[in-house]
Amino acid sequence: MTTTAELLKGAAELFPDEVVTQAHVRHLDLPQDAGRFALITLDNGLDHTKPTTFGPASLANLNAAIDQVEKEAADGAITGVGITGKPFIFAVGADLKGVELLKRHEDALAIGKGGHDVFKRLSTLAVPTFAYYNGAAMGGGVEVGLHCSYRTVSAALPAFSLPEVFLGLVPGWGGCTLLPNLIGADRAVSVIIENSLNQNKQLKGQQVYELGIADAIFEGADFLEQSLIWTASVLRGELEIVRPEIDRGDAWHEAVVRGRAIADGKVHGAAPAAYRALEIIDAARNGDLARGYEAEEKALADLIMGSELRSGIYAFNLVQKRAKRPAGAPDKSLARPVSKVGVVGAGLMASQLALLFARRLEVPVVLTDIDQERVDKGVGYVHGEIDKLLLKGRINQDKANRLKAAVTGSLDKAAAFGDADFVIEAVFEEMGVKQQVFAEVEAVVPEHAILATNTSSLSVSEMAAKLKHPERVVGFHFFNPVAILPLLEIVRGEKTDDASLATAFGVAKKLKKTAVLVKDAPAFVVNRILTRFMGEIQNVIDEGTPVDVAERAVEPLGLPMSPLVLLELVGPAIGLHVSETLHGAFPDRFTVSENLKRVVEAGKRGFYVYDSGKPELDPEVAALLQQGDTVLTEEQVRARVLDAVAQEIGLMLDEGVVAEAQDIDLCLITGAGWPFHLGGLTPYLDREGVSERVNGKRFLAPGVASVPA
């Protein structure tokens, strides 16, 4: 029979580049004469920006540390064992770089078994074990603590989660089995399913304690010291930890049903991880840990060898790594400082931008518009939002006062922008209007000032064409809502120079946005793909397919909302305008729906009414629709939509709209909420064979967002 050490040694050979975590054992005398204590500290030797992870060699080190303390416990040399992390980090789970390399099911099974074999030893020692969650704890970091007898958590802990389902895995080192048996199935479903599928929501220290995951909570400043005093009280029998009894009846079943409803609402059955996790939680009801661990290992191996995880890791790497080094961005040393910002316009979008610039750059921001009433309304909106931040405790009174003082309004562009370094326009989406605005602004700003446009579909080069200095005009396209969606499409016009572009990227970074360099092509990236996608849905409806069939057709993609609900969010008038812009540029591929025109002309805000709480086709909209007699099935609609999108992405890459397919996916994930578990869109099109059918080749090389051959 293969030992744990042999299993991990074999796994480590597959992963030579692992950043190895050491498990240092040190001994100390507990207060109150509670005896000699062994403390294991997990540390990869790097600072907090490189969190501690568990690869095969790291697990082997922890295994060796447990060998040592197991013997000491058996010999009566210690009264307890604790495990903690380096400053600010407990441990953040399995090393995903190693998971990516796995090619065989048996190797994936070994990863699950190796983690279980090491962690569960903490629950079988001859003395009590304690986990001290001193800093960020995720995935396997959370799970190693679940195997201990007791847990404490720091009040300063910023992030605690089981994010596996978000990535396409299950918590496979005890999480699905132990957590519901510790805190009950309903709370476990919240942590494992709901938080994961809610954009990987993190828990803070106080929440970890309130959920019952930790038995005690202490302030960050002297967390370990207080945890050891508490440990001494537990070991001396002065403190008895009483945990509530777990309801293993109807409440457990109802929790699993709730979890399925959450998964259906988020991924519509399109991604297996959440459902596999729920099966294990369901089976964990009787507290049979061995059976639970076996189910975790099987699920882990199946999912590691599946496409969802590979796409999830690909998406994770895009957002965490590629987003930080934008492809094609100029040398950042060329960027100029920005100490004052101007915003042309004071409508909702302009006001949102003013708030963002003020909060992130902490520089004066001036709004202008065509009359005082609009200016006052825009400034009033920003001040109101600052008051809300103050009420929520997100900022203090001093910060609120400074932010309000920083955001002002003026009717006089010369006075407002005479010393601005960066001016962004957010006015009506019409070329003549924008050209006029830029001509007026250029006449009053300093020579070094950047002129940015928040256009969603118009040509940046054409906008700059009549200026004396077109080289300083750059596209700076935000997505709505500005405070939530991270994407910023930075558009290089024909004459935009490197210094202006570098300044734009520098500002984007300070705004904490994900900046992607985009060529000046109609509707750039997200709007072009979404318009082609929506256009094809609209086409099949216009031709005769019922609205509900067209909407259901793309459910297997697991999108955050259906196409027509998305249209409602964007606004039918804006959707129509972008489709008209793209029809003008590419009349053979982009249509303008007469039915959509009718909906806009009738002043309707969307296709649906929500009288029952669920979207239902508005009878007034239904009366407006004029349809043909070609009725397609859901499969036919889906094939048509995906073929159209694959064709468009292929053309965009041929045109050099972005550097690579990876940038398309980064844009869709961060600008349109495209599902993480799909890896964006191109891996899905590759996986379904659509890319090769339409373009004769895959978008991504085999092994990128897929299992290596």
Side-chain angles (χ1 to χ4, degrees):
M1 186 176 161
T2 311
T3 66
T4 301
E6 288 167 342
L7 193 72
L8 293 171
K9 187 168 181 287
E13 285 166 6
L14 297 173
F15 185 20
D17 298 326
E18 177 185 349
V19 177
V20 179
T21 296
Q22 304 300 326
H24 304 288
V25 181
R26 64 187 170 110
H27 295 87
L28 40 96
D29 292 317
L30 287 172
Q32 305 159 25
D33 296 325
R36 194 96 170 125
F37 190 76
L39 182 65
I40 301 170
T41 303
L42 304 169
D43 192 345
N44 61 7
L46 301 166
D47 69 16
H48 67 279
T49 62
K50 299 284 191 301
T52 307
T53 53
F54 293 120
S58 305
L59 286 172
N61 286 338
L62 179 56
N63 198 46
I66 296 173
D67 283 343
Q68 178 187 335
V69 298
E70 183 178 59
K71 185 175 185 308
E72 292 170 353
D75 293 345
I78 54 174
T79 58
V81 174
I83 185 165
T84 193
K86 66 183 184 182
F88 309 109
I89 305 288
F90 182 78
V92 298
D95 192 323
L96 293 176
K97 292 193 294 297
V99 172
E100 276 180 283
L101 302 172
L102 298 174
K103 298 179 183 179
R104 301 184 311 161
H105 194 273
E106 53 264 45
D107 293 333
L109 203 59
I111 289 291
K113 193 166 182 341
H116 275 134
D117 287 353
V118 175
F119 289 1
K120 70 186 179 189
R121 294 181 68 195
L122 290 165
S123 62
T124 59
L125 296 181
V127 294
T129 49
F130 298 79
Y132 306 130
Y133 291 124
N134 64 301
M138 296 171 202
V142 168
E143 289 170 301
V144 70
L146 294 177
H147 286 269
C148 294
S149 321
Y150 305 97
R151 284 154 297 282
T152 67
V153 67
S154 166
L157 181 145
F160 182 105
S161 65
L162 289 170
E164 287 84 352
V165 166
F166 177 65
L167 293 168
L169 280 173
V170 297
W173 286 344
C176 287
T177 303
L178 292 172
L179 192 64
N181 279 292
L182 175 68
I183 63 173
D186 194 62
R187 287 177 166 190
V189 162
S190 293
V191 176
I192 294 169
I193 308 296
E194 190 171 18
N195 289 357
S196 243
L197 292 178
N198 188 12
Q199 291 300 312
N200 192 20
K201 182 184 173 189
Q202 301 294 316
L203 298 168
K204 300 271 196 287
Q206 184 66 33
Q207 295 167 297
V208 173
Y209 173 63
E210 287 168 1
L211 281 167
I213 299 171
D215 302 302
I217 183 167
F218 301 108
E219 288 304 319
D222 57 351
F223 169 71
L224 190 56
E225 184 186 345
Q226 292 301 321
S227 291
L228 291 170
I229 293 169
W230 179 87
T231 297
S233 299
V234 172
L235 290 175
R236 284 165 59 89
E238 293 163 4
L239 195 62
E240 188 187 353
I241 304 305
V242 181
R243 298 187 182 122
E245 200 172 322
I246 302 300
D247 186 334
R248 299 178 187 278
D250 290 345
W252 197 291
H253 173 71
E254 285 161 14
V256 174
V257 169
R258 183 174 78 88
R260 289 213 175 91
I262 292 165
D264 288 344
K266 291 286 186 181
V267 300
H268 310 284
Y275 302 97
R276 292 295 291 269
L278 286 162
E279 284 169 18
I280 302 167
I281 293 170
D282 197 23
R285 183 194 301 220
N286 61 6
D288 184 342
L289 301 186
R291 188 168 154 236
Y293 296 162
E294 197 177 316
E296 287 178 353
E297 286 162 17
K298 172 84 167 62
L300 209 53
D302 291 349
L303 292 166
I304 285 172
M305 299 314 293
S307 54
E308 185 197 359
L309 171 69
R310 304 302 171 133
S311 295
I313 293 174
Y314 166 79
F316 185 78
N317 287 336
L318 289 181
V319 171
Q320 294 296 320
K321 295 176 184 172
R322 191 177 185 92
K324 291 179 173 66
R325 290 186 288 277
D331 188 327
K332 59 186 177 195
S333 67
L334 297 171
R336 293 191 284 261
V338 172
S339 56
K340 183 177 179 182
V341 172
V343 181
V344 185
L348 182 58
M349 189 68 176
S351 303
Q352 288 184 69
L353 295 182
L355 177 65
L356 180 70
F357 278 96
R359 284 193 72 196
R360 297 280 186 241
L361 269 58
E362 296 189 351
V363 299
V365 179
V366 188
L367 296 114
T368 66
D369 212 313
I370 54 174
D371 59 51
Q372 193 64 45
E373 188 183 345
R374 291 176 201 226
V375 170
D376 292 344
K377 188 178 176 187
V379 174
Y381 169 86
V382 178
H383 287 191
E385 292 299 304
I386 293 167
D387 285 335
K388 286 181 192 171
L389 293 169
L390 178 63
L391 277 171
K392 289 177 185 170
R394 303 271 295 278
I395 56 174
N396 60 28
Q397 186 67 58
D398 180 53
K399 184 77 176 279
N401 293 344
R402 280 187 285 124
L403 286 175
K404 282 186 181 178
V407 179
T408 57
S410 174
L411 287 177
D412 184 344
K413 288 191 178 70
F417 303 152
D419 55 350
D421 307 300
F422 190 99
V423 178
I424 184 165
E425 68 74 25
V427 299
F428 186 66
E429 192 76 347
E430 205 276 311
M431 183 58 76
V433 174
K434 289 187 185 284
Q435 284 180 330
Q436 183 189 339
V437 161
F438 269 167
E440 291 171 5
V441 172
E442 188 183 43
V444 298
V445 294
E447 281 191 10
H448 67 272
I450 305 298
L451 304 183
T453 169
N454 184 44
T455 182
S456 58
S457 60
L458 300 176
S459 166
V460 174
S461 303
E462 189 182 340
M463 220 175 284
K466 297 177 182 177
L467 298 177
K468 290 178 190 147
H469 294 286
E471 70 279 358
R472 57 175 169 170
V473 176
V474 64
F476 215 63
H477 179 218
F478 289 88
F479 288 77
N480 218 345
V482 169
I484 294 170
L485 290 175
L487 181 63
L488 185 51
E489 290 178 337
I490 295 188
V491 188
R492 180 172 211 150
E494 284 171 19
K495 298 198 172 165
T496 309
D497 63 21
D498 281 355
S500 301
L501 206 57
T503 305
F505 273 100
V507 169
K509 189 174 182 183
K510 285 185 177 170
L511 294 175
K512 298 186 178 176
K513 291 295 180 187
T514 297
V516 176
L517 181 61
V518 180
K519 185 181 170 185
D520 187 17
F524 317 126
V525 177
V526 173
N527 283 343
R528 179 161 165 186
I529 293 168
L530 287 185
T531 304
R532 187 79 199 271
F533 177 84
M534 304 279 282
E536 216 49 56
I537 295 277
Q538 197 73 57
N539 287 344
V540 299
I541 292 171
D542 292 355
E543 289 163 18
T545 300
V547 168
D548 60 327
V549 174
E551 288 265 84
R552 275 200 313 273
V554 291
E555 270 187 6
L557 284 166
L559 298 173
M561 60 188 78
S562 74
L564 293 182
V565 173
L566 175 63
L567 180 68
E568 197 170 301
L569 184 72
V570 171
I574 292 172
L576 178 64
H577 174 74
V578 177
S579 69
E580 286 170 342
T581 301
L582 282 160
H583 176 69
F586 310 115
D588 53 325
R589 302 194 308 279
F590 288 85
T591 53
V592 177
S593 165
E594 291 301 320
N595 278 325
L596 181 56
K597 269 188 185 173
R598 291 184 194 97
V599 169
V600 172
E601 283 163 6
K604 303 302 280 182
R605 294 186 60 181
F607 276 62
Y608 294 126
V609 287
Y610 295 84
D611 298 339
S612 65
K614 290 182 178 177
E616 291 174 10
L617 188 61
D618 182 341
E620 291 178 18
V621 170
L624 293 171
L625 298 182
Q626 294 180 19
Q627 293 178 279
D629 50 14
T630 303
V631 179
L632 302 182
T633 65
E634 287 178 28
E635 290 73 21
Q636 288 170 321
V637 172
R638 186 161 59 250
R640 202 165 128 181
V641 170
L642 293 177
D643 283 6
V645 170
Q647 181 195 31
E648 203 58 41
I649 293 173
L651 291 165
M652 289 166 71
L653 292 171
D654 289 345
E655 292 167 26
V657 174
V658 288
E660 293 181 290
Q662 281 87 336
D663 293 311
I664 298 271
D665 294 317
L666 181 57
C667 284
L668 287 171
I669 291 165
T670 57
W674 211 270
F676 217 79
H677 63 264
L678 294 184
L681 182 52
T682 67
Y684 180 83
L685 295 171
D686 284 350
R687 218 162 44 235
E688 297 294 311
V690 180
S691 314
E692 291 192 51
R693 183 172 74 235
V694 174
N695 300 322
K697 61 181 180 182
R698 294 167 59 95
F699 287 117
L700 301 166
V704 178
S706 57
V707 179

